[in-house]
Amino acid sequence: MEAVVIAGMARRVLDELMRSPYRTIELRSARNILAVERAMEQAMNLFLTYDPLSDVEVGTEGLLAELLKVEELETRVPWEESDEREITVCRARMRLLGLGRVIEVEERREITIVKVRELLPHEMGMG
């Protein structure tokens, strides 16, 4: 299965998605927002991992999710916390499909696409 990589996710977010298969996740990374937009355009699934994008390689494990809905919004940041006053936030509604391990990595149109082998729960070694 091919999927768009969403990297650098917080461990608690992935744990919450495993406990509740329907989740809305808020993304702030420009790279992840672009990846979600491209996934929505091409009707592709997502591969979510806590590893940084530079560490995603053959053998990386994560969660597979179906992208259901994407909503972009602008939000204000308190002046003391940032040089910028507004940031773009992307809220992505998704449904957990299962667990997966990367078997091939490819860069396509500025985003990372992976081929993933679905795993059974006892095969997963995240942690």
Side-chain angles (χ1 to χ4, degrees):
M1 167 190 302
E2 279 194 347
V4 175
V5 174
I6 305 298
M9 299 299 299
R11 166 78 73 184
R12 69 171 177 72
V13 171
L14 298 179
D15 290 345
E16 288 172 13
L17 186 58
M18 286 183 65
R19 280 193 298 276
S20 175
Y22 287 89
R23 273 324 260 171
T24 300
I25 295 175
E26 197 169 277
L27 302 167
R28 294 174 184 259
S29 162
R31 181 189 65 245
N32 284 343
I33 291 172
L34 177 63
V36 164
E37 288 173 350
R38 295 277 168 78
M40 195 67 174
E41 288 170 7
Q42 300 173 19
M44 293 185 73
N45 290 324
L46 302 175
F47 177 77
L48 295 95
T49 181
Y50 59 86
D51 291 333
L53 186 62
S54 59
D55 290 347
V56 174
E57 58 189 25
V58 173
T60 299
E61 295 178 342
L63 304 180
L64 290 166
E66 175 186 13
L67 186 57
L68 303 174
K69 180 181 175 185
V70 175
E71 177 185 9
E72 275 191 31
L73 30 119
E74 302 293 322
T75 186
R76 290 203 169 267
V77 176
W79 184 254
E80 310 82 46
E81 293 180 21
S82 175
D83 292 337
E84 296 181 353
R85 303 255 346 232
E86 284 187 348
I87 60 170
T88 299
V89 174
C90 179
R91 293 178 51 84
R93 178 81 173 154
M94 57 189 68
R95 178 177 69 92
L96 179 66
L97 297 175
L99 310 170
R101 181 176 290 139
V102 174
I103 57 173
E104 186 178 319
V105 180
E106 176 185 346
E107 290 293 321
R108 205 184 296 164
R109 287 185 54 206
E110 302 170 6
I111 60 171
T112 304
I113 307 288
V114 290
K115 285 189 181 170
V116 179
R117 182 177 78 81
E118 292 186 62
L119 299 176
L120 299 172
H122 70 276
E123 293 180 287
M124 194 66 168
M126 281 179 55

